[in-house]
């Protein structure tokens, strides 16, 4: 039944968040973490995950105060200027991050499969497919990822475990060498990859006394599983390549897949097949941000009208609400490609601008909302 | 109305995808325009680095390959990068290293520590050679190439199967990826198989020890 109410189940939320968190983290995080912390990056993963859990608990407290999703809360409890400013900021961040995801996705495809193809063609196809998926609504995407979850995750874990035979203990024996400052920087880097938790404020939760409790419990499980996968992947990558070699690699988790050889001369190109893991997970993350880029635009254009027909029309996506964010996403990804290290550029933006705002903003929602209520 | 607009939307997306996918195929190099070497030999002669490739006897479609000989036009240049580039420029096809099985390094080349390390750095940066390509060393590359005509299959495949067979007795076979990683990590000693040519066959007689930031050392 086509419901189109923007609601997804707990299981779908869990699986969607696992994809969003573990995909890009396993792909991009290891080389940067190896540069900062070496093998001690495993402690940074634990500390960063702990920070992510605290952040989620804090978001849960905010959800309990709001008692509804953030879009509705801002519309009903805050002034027009504040609402448009904050929604605008979140919208801008969603578009920039979606552009980054599209850039990484296109880069990965070009680097691993189609080196001779032009970057902009690959990017165009990816953005087109993402826009198509977003136009189908969050329910359809959530259902797809619910079904894909095990077929993606089980082969990934199996392949990573197959790398144990080339594990060198000499690469992982030098622990506790990193300074406190490096460990903190590494932990913050890990926390950056958990920042999409912010969007849990926009999930439509079940109407209950402690609004958001189920969402928090579900996403807590997602964090746990994603962190475990990331931890395992990092240890195996350091054990196979060594921290210095790992620090210089581009997509080491893809490279390690190409080193696995099965006896019996079958399954020779498993590495190409395993790329599906990051295709689906990066695609999920791109869709997450593009979805909020479209949703927030729809919300800003929504007129205050209690009429049922108008509400229904408001839920439907107009063509420009999909095209404008998609074009911007394409543009941002294309611009990032012009830089020698677009990933580092984006991580600097994320670390110094986006994430601090995402930490402070929920509290500001509650404070301003309460002030308006009491006024 | 809703179904009609969905139908139009789907058609629009499919048409866009088809147009883009068809256009993007124009840039691809077709299989017929590529050659797929299975062996690379690197030597050192007259103070220059020599470079040559070995190809399979059968092409992709099973036909006799025109590039089946390994001793065609070995080139010499100042360093590995230049000799590789020079060799590739003399071929009439684009070289695709994805099927490379073995890299053979000559003893004299291994003794040129700086040039050897430059080669490892260059290959790590280039990312063209597969990481799981086997590496072995010989006294004289020409002696090895000479015996190919007496072998049951092309040299690259023969060496790969020979090394695989020896794996149980001699230990894990060294790959290019291992060499590249150890160049950065400097934590382990790696052993490159040292092969000798005897009576038109090869024998694994010793090793070249590399790693820990030290120059290669031969022992038998």
């Amino acid at each position: 039944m086509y419901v189109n109410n923007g609601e997804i189940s707990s299981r779908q939320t869990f699986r969607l968040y696992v994809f969003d968190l573990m995909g890009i983290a396993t792909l991009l995080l290891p080389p940067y973490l190896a540069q900062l912390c070496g093998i001690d990056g495993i402690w940074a993963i634990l500390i960063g995950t702990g920070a992510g859990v605290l952040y989620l608990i804090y978001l849960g407290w905010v959800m309990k105060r709001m008692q509804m999703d953030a879009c509705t809360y801002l519309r009903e409890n805050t002034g027009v200027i504040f609402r448009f400013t904050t929604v605008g900021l979140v919208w801008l961040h969603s578009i920039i991050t979606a552009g980054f995801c599209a850039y990484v996705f296109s880069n990965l495809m070009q680097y691993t499969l189609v080196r001779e193809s032009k970057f902009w063609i690959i990017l165009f196809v990816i953005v087109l497919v993402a826009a198509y998926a977003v136009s189908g609504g969050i329910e359809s995407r959530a259902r797809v990822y619910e079904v894909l979850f095990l077929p993606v995750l089980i082969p990934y874990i199996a392949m990573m475990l197959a790398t144990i035979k080339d594990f060198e203990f000499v690469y992982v024996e030098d622990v506790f060498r990193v300074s406190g400052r490096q460990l903190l920087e590494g932990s913050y880097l890990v926390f950056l990859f958990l920042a999409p938790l912010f969007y849990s404020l926009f999930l439509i939760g079940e109407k209950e006394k402690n609004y958001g409790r189920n969402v928090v419990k579900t996403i807590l499980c997602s964090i746990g599983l994603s962190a475990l996968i990331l931890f395992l992947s990092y240890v195996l990558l350091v054990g196979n390549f060594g921290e210095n070699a790992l620090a210089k690699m581009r997509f080491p988790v893809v490279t390690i897949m190409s080193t696995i050889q099965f006896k019996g001369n079958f399954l020779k190109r498993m590495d190409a097949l395993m790329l599906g893991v990051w295709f689906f997970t990066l695609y999920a993350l791109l869709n997450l941000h593009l979805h909020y880029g479209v949703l927030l635009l729809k919300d800003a254009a929504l007129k205050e009208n209690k009429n049922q027909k108008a509400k229904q029309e408001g839920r439907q996506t107009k063509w420009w609400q999909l095209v404008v964010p998609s074009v911007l996403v394409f543009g941002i990804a294309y611009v990032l490609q012009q830089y020698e290290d677009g990933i580092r550029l984006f991580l600097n933006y994320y670390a110094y601008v986006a994430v601090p705002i995402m930490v402070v903003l929920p509290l500001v929602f509650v404070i301003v909302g309460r002030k308006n209520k009491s006024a | 109305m809703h179904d009609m607009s969905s139908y139009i939307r789907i058609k629009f997306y499919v048409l866009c995808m088809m147009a883009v996918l068809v256009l993007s195929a124009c840039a691809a190099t077709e299989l017929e325009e590529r050659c797929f070497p299975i062996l690379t030999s690197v030597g050192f002669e007259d103070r220059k680095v020599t470079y040559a490739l070995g190809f399979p006897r059968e092409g992709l479609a099973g036909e006799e390959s025109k590039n089946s000989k390994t001793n065609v036009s070995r080139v010499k240049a100042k360093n590995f990068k230049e000799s590789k580039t020079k060799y590739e420029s003399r071929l009439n096809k684009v070289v695709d290293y994805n099927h490379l099985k073995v890299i053979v390094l000559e003893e004299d080349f291994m003794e040129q520590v700086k040039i050897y390390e430059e080669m490892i750095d260059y290959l790590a940066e280039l990312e063209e050679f597969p990481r799981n390509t086997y590496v072995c060393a010989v006294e004289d590359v020409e002696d090895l190439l000479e015996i190919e005509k007496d072998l049951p299959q092309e040299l690259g495949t023969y060496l790969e199967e020979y090394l695989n067979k020896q794996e149980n007795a001699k230990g894990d076979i060294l790959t290019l990826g291992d060499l590249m990683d150890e160049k950065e990590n400097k934590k382990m000693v790696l052993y490159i198989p040292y092969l000798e040519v005897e009576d038109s066959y090869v024998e694994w007689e010793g090793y070249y020890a590399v790693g820990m930031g030290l120059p290669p050392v031969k022992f038998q």
Side-chain angles (χ1 to χ4, degrees):
Chain A
M1 193 165 78
Y2 190 64
V3 179
N4 195 23
N5 59 3
E7 293 182 21
I8 56 176
S9 70
S10 298
R11 193 163 89 152
Q12 288 170 340
T13 305
F14 166 73
R15 294 184 174 192
L16 208 50
Y17 269 88
V18 169
F19 271 22
D20 291 339
L21 299 177
M22 72 145 266
I24 199 159
T26 51
L27 185 69
L28 295 185
L29 187 57
Y32 292 98
L33 201 55
Q35 282 171 32
L36 273 175
C37 304
I39 181 59
D40 290 313
I42 54 173
W43 317 122
I45 290 172
L46 293 175
I47 297 170
T49 305
V53 169
L54 290 174
Y55 181 56
L56 181 66
I57 292 170
Y58 155 65
L59 291 176
W61 174 83
V62 169
M63 280 187 242
K64 194 175 164 185
R65 293 286 170 284
M66 294 197 305
Q67 285 295 308
M68 58 190 76
D69 66 285
C71 280
T72 314
Y73 179 83
L74 289 171
R75 206 179 318 118
E76 293 181 5
N77 294 289
T78 62
V80 170
I81 295 173
F82 178 81
R83 179 184 152 219
F84 274 100
T85 308
T86 48
V87 166
L89 275 176
V90 178
W91 176 82
L92 190 63
H93 168 69
S94 304
I95 296 299
I96 292 173
T97 314
F100 171 70
C101 294
Y103 158 72
V104 172
F105 195 171
S106 309
N107 237 299
L108 179 67
M109 263 194 98
Q110 188 184 40
Y111 174 72
T112 54
L113 292 179
V114 282
R115 286 203 184 192
E116 289 162 5
S117 287
K118 292 199 187 322
F119 176 83
W120 73 266
I121 293 178
I122 301 168
L123 176 63
F124 179 77
V125 171
I126 284 168
V127 172
L128 195 68
V129 175
Y132 179 68
V134 166
S135 69
I138 190 171
E139 301 98 323
S140 55
R141 283 186 296 112
R143 182 65 190 142
V144 167
Y145 290 117
E146 188 183 8
V147 169
L148 280 176
F149 185 74
L150 291 176
V152 165
L153 216 58
I154 291 174
Y156 174 74
I157 293 172
M159 291 289 280
M160 287 310 288
L161 292 176
T163 65
I164 288 176
K165 72 171 181 55
D166 292 324
F167 193 90
E168 299 287 352
F169 284 95
V170 71
Y171 286 152
V172 300
E173 62 189 14
D174 249 347
V175 286
F176 301 119
R177 280 183 304 118
V178 76
S179 68
R181 185 194 161 128
Q182 284 171 305
L183 189 63
L184 273 174
E185 284 179 7
S187 306
Y188 186 54
L189 183 64
V190 173
F191 177 70
L192 292 185
F193 284 87
L194 295 175
L197 294 173
F198 172 78
Y199 291 103
S200 59
L201 291 175
F202 295 84
L203 282 172
I204 298 173
E206 293 163 24
K207 300 282 183 284
E208 56 185 5
K209 190 177 166 197
N210 288 315
Y211 182 90
R213 184 178 54 187
N214 276 338
V215 169
V216 168
K217 269 176 19 185
T218 303
I219 299 178
L220 213 53
C221 297
S222 302
I223 295 176
L225 181 59
S226 304
L228 183 64
I229 292 170
L230 179 61
F231 186 90
L232 179 77
S233 303
Y234 189 73
V235 169
L236 288 170
L237 284 170
V238 176
N240 274 268
F241 295 135
E243 56 192 42
N244 293 340
L246 178 62
K248 290 193 170 183
M249 289 181 172
R250 203 161 160 189
F251 300 122
V253 73
V254 176
T255 305
I256 204 173
M257 295 287 167
S258 68
T259 64
I260 299 167
Q261 282 176 320
F262 290 97
K263 297 284 182 196
N265 249 2
F266 70 106
L267 294 176
K268 276 193 170 245
R269 288 307 308 273
M270 274 300 281
D271 56 315
L273 190 65
M274 290 310 299
L275 280 170
V277 172
W278 293 284
F279 284 179
F280 289 122
T281 52
L282 283 178
Y283 186 58
L285 193 64
L286 166 60
N287 283 338
L288 172 83
H289 289 93
L290 186 59
H291 165 74
Y292 287 110
V294 171
L295 179 81
L296 294 172
L297 211 53
K298 268 169 66 174
D299 186 74
L302 194 68
K303 293 190 180 89
E304 288 302 324
N305 199 326
K306 303 239 187 306
N307 177 280
Q308 194 60 31
K309 185 179 170 210
K311 269 189 184 169
Q312 188 62 33
E313 278 173 7
R315 282 202 200 107
Q316 287 174 5
T317 309
K318 297 188 175 42
W319 69 268
W320 62 270
Q321 290 168 345
L322 187 58
V323 169
V324 169
S326 302
V327 168
L328 290 173
V329 164
F330 180 92
I332 287 166
Y334 191 80
V335 165
L336 280 172
Q337 174 66 3
Q338 310 313 310
Y339 288 88
E340 200 180 315
D341 194 350
I343 294 173
R344 195 173 280 280
L345 177 69
F346 175 82
L347 285 178
N348 285 338
Y349 150 76
Y350 217 57
Y352 298 116
V353 177
V355 169
I357 292 177
M358 284 197 280
V359 169
V360 169
L361 208 54
L363 184 63
V364 173
F365 287 172
V366 171
I367 293 170
V368 172
R370 271 206 167 157
K371 262 192 176 172
N372 281 1
K373 260 190 193 163
S374 53
Chain B
M1 185 62 192
H2 176 76
D3 288 341
M4 189 61 157
S5 66
S6 297
Y7 178 64
I8 292 170
R9 184 162 49 97
I10 290 167
K11 260 178 63 170
F12 171 73
Y13 278 115
V14 168
L15 278 171
C16 280
M17 293 271 287
M18 279 172 61
V20 169
L21 290 172
V22 164
L23 286 172
S24 64
C26 295
T29 306
E30 299 299 329
L31 278 175
E32 293 76 25
E33 295 164 5
R34 295 174 193 253
C35 59
F36 301 90
I38 57 171
L39 178 137
T40 298
S41 62
V42 186
F44 195 75
E45 197 179 299
D46 299 333
R47 299 165 71 85
K48 289 191 175 177
V49 176
T50 66
Y51 186 91
L53 296 176
F55 297 90
R57 286 181 183 162
E58 278 188 358
L60 287 170
E63 79 282 9
E64 180 71 24
S65 168
K66 292 191 177 74
N67 293 321
S68 58
K69 293 180 185 171
T70 58
N71 57 353
V72 172
S73 307
R74 291 190 85 215
V75 299
K76 294 181 192 177
K78 196 170 64 181
N79 53 39
F80 177 82
K81 180 180 172 183
E82 283 186 23
S83 60
K84 176 178 175 288
T85 310
K86 194 173 174 183
Y87 189 94
E88 287 171 2
S89 67
R90 291 183 179 186
L91 294 174
N92 60 344
K93 296 188 180 187
V94 173
V95 185
D96 187 330
Y97 288 97
N98 283 313
H99 293 259
L100 194 69
K101 296 183 181 187
V102 183
I103 299 174
V104 178
L105 304 176
E106 199 174 66
E107 190 172 342
D108 288 344
F109 177 79
M110 297 289 300
E111 305 293 325
Q112 307 303 314
V113 175
K114 189 162 172 286
I115 298 176
Y116 162 77
E117 289 183 350
E118 275 175 9
M119 178 194 79
I120 300 294
D121 288 335
Y122 174 64
L123 290 177
E125 190 191 318
L126 198 64
E127 294 178 336
E128 252 183 19
F129 286 32
R131 285 179 60 94
N132 52 10
T133 308
Y134 289 159
V135 182
C136 60
V138 294
E139 186 183 0
D140 191 336
V141 164
E142 289 291 343
D143 290 344
L144 189 65
L145 300 178
E146 274 302 312
I147 68 168
E148 192 187 16
K149 58 185 182 307
D150 300 322
L151 295 173
Q153 64 234 119
E154 58 271 346
L155 189 60
T157 308
Y158 174 78
L159 285 177
E160 185 197 35
E161 289 177 359
Y162 175 81
L163 291 170
N164 277 334
K165 194 185 92 169
Q166 297 295 320
E167 195 174 2
N168 287 338
K170 307 273 190 180
D172 285 341
I173 309 300
L174 195 72
T175 63
L176 179 63
D178 296 332
L179 282 182
M180 295 195 298
D181 293 341
E182 179 45 35
K183 174 90 181 19
E184 297 296 330
N185 297 318
K186 297 182 177 46
K187 284 199 169 181
M188 289 197 304
V189 178
L190 302 176
Y191 300 96
I192 301 176
Y194 180 75
L195 308 177
E196 282 192 1
V197 178
E198 287 177 20
D199 298 329
S200 297
Y201 288 98
V202 297
E203 288 288 341
W204 185 334
E205 292 293 343
Y207 297 92
Y208 252 101
V210 298
M212 307 280 282
L214 299 169
V217 173
K218 178 179 146 192
F219 65 96
Q220 287 175 280

